């Protein structure tokens, strides 16, 4: 009897959930096309990122990011807005980078980084005595004292493209809730408070329908981020440089805080001297910018239901 009533309650909950879901059809496939693209050169200012033999990540991400911005703009034409989170060597907290993208209502967030592969090595620097008991007797044994240090692993090369991890989906949902248009009534004060970057939406009560919409958007962004990341790595694969699409277990804050599909491209390893040279070269930087641009064009075509040629043609036409 008791089991029966639990079954009825569960059944009612499922029915209620399905009813609410049926009112909300989920995000439309194409919100309004890919019109605003945000390029984020990683690190900057007092945050240098990884260091190679002679160069720092923050300088390379800026140089590659600027080339990417220019290549995207030249390829997609004036109808697409390409926005940089930074164009100089300045420090920005991750929250600010995400806020720039959210305030611009970006359709795509491209975060540029360089990688470093290190081994953790352990060297014995001494021994200490540790007591233990055997057959009621107190005995001692020597155990080594280790000093841990990092060593560059020069063998690893290539690109990796990261998307936000499903474990961190609640953060993405919060970003959607804090930055979405579907909460018009609750969101209307944002215009006058644009300076307030601490608004996370936590102070506003969310209706179950808001939450379902935000979960749908988060899933949509995950699918689209994965799709774009795959296209980016496909392009690098043609140059023999792809290591694949990845997720970081601990998450990547900037990807979770942006209310849009977002990817983080690790453009190469500074721990490999030849790759550091490549990342520092004009040719290498331009090749990276062009590979990512080709992926964005393919992604834009897919999202907007066009062919790649149509996207390229509409970039050339003066539509206004
Ligand atoms: Zn980095």
């Amino acid at each position: 009897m008791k089991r029966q009533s639990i079954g009825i309650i569960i059944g009612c909950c499922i029915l209620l959930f399905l009813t609410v879901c049926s009112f909300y059809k989920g995000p439309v496939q194409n919100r309004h096309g890919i019109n605003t693209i945000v390029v984020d050169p990683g690190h900057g200012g007092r945050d240098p990122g990884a260091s190679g033999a002679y160069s720092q990540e923050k300088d390379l991400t800026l140089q590659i990011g600027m080339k990417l911005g220019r290549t995207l703009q030249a390829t997609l034409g004036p109808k697409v807005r390409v926005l940089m989170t930074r164009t100089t060597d300045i420090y920005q907290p991750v929250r600010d980078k995400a806020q720039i993208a959210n305030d611009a209502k970006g359709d795509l967030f491209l975060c540029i980084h360089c990688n470093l592969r290190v081994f953790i090595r352990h060297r014995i620097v001494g021994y200490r005595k540790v007591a233990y008991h055997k057959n009621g007797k107190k005995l001692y044994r020597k155990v080594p004292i280790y000093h841990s240090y990092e060593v560059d692993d020069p063998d690893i090369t290539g690109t990796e493209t990261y998307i936000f991890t499903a474990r961190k989906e609640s953060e993405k949902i919060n970003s959607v809730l804090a930055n979405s248009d579907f909460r018009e009534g609750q969101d209307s004060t944002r215009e006058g408070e644009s300076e307030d970057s601490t608004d996370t939406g936590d102070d506003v009560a969310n209706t179950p329908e808001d939450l379902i919409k935000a979960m749908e958007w988060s899933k949509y962004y995950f699918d689209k981020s994965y799709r774009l990341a795959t296209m980016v790595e496909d392009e690098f694969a043609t140059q023999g440089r792809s290591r694949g699409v990845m997720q970081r277990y601990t998450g990547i804050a900037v990807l979770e805080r942006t209310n849009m599909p977002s990817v983080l491209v690790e453009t190469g390893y500074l721990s490999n001297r030849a790759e550091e040279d490549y990342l520092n070269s004009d040719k290498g930087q331009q090749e990276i910018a062009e590979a990512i641009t080709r992926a964005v064009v393919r992604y834009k075509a897919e999202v907007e239901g066009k062919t790649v040629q149509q996207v390229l043609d509409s970039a050339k036409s003066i539509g206004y």
Side-chain angles (χ1 to χ4, degrees), residues 157 179 186 198:
T157 60
N179 295 288
Q186 296 161 340
T198 57

Side-chain angles (χ1 to χ4, degrees), residues 36-204:
T36 301
I37 299 172
V38 183
V39 176
D40 173 39
H43 308 280
R46 62 183 157 88
D47 169 20
S51 294
Y54 61 90
S55 54
Q56 289 189 312
E57 182 181 359
K58 65 169 185 174
D59 300 320
L60 297 174
T61 59
L62 185 57
Q63 290 162 16
I64 296 167
M66 294 294 278
K67 284 191 175 69
L68 174 60
R70 282 194 291 271
T71 309
L72 281 169
Q73 196 69 78
T75 309
L76 296 173
K79 281 181 264 180
V80 172
R81 182 182 176 211
V82 179
L83 187 75
M84 306 291 299
T85 55
R86 68 179 179 105
T87 54
T88 53
D89 184 20
I90 53 160
Y91 172 74
Q92 292 163 308
V94 163
R95 180 184 282 272
D96 291 4
K97 288 172 176 287
Q99 196 67 41
I100 290 169
N102 289 336
D103 287 347
K105 302 216 177 298
D107 302 303
L108 207 53
F109 187 78
L110 305 168
C111 197
I112 302 300
H113 282 252
C114 303
N115 229 332
L116 192 73
R117 169 69 173 220
V118 289
F119 278 135
I120 306 292
R121 287 263 168 84
H122 308 283
R123 190 176 63 219
I124 295 173
V125 291
Y127 292 89
R128 63 194 167 93
K129 276 184 175 177
V130 175
Y132 68 102
H133 294 272
K134 194 175 179 183
N135 303 329
K137 269 186 171 177
K138 191 176 185 184
L139 300 167
Y140 291 90
R141 70 174 168 210
K142 269 191 347 182
V143 296
I145 301 166
Y146 292 105
H147 167 67
S148 302
Y149 60 106
E150 293 183 341
V151 185
D152 285 3
D153 177 356
D155 296 333
I156 305 279
T157 60
T159 66
E160 293 159 12
T161 300
Y162 287 81
I163 55 176
F164 70 93
T165 117
R167 251 185 83 244
K168 292 279 180 173
E169 199 176 1
S170 57
E171 274 89 336
K172 193 76 172 176
I173 290 170
N174 282 340
S175 303
V176 175
L177 282 168
N179 295 288
S180 286
D181 292 334
F182 62 70
R183 301 165 74 223
E184 295 108 325
Q186 296 161 340
D187 226 19
S188 57
T189 53
R190 283 179 60 80
E191 290 299 323
E193 293 175 354
S194 57
E195 292 298 305
D196 181 13
S197 64
T198 57
D199 175 15
T200 60
D202 295 345
D203 52 335
V204 182

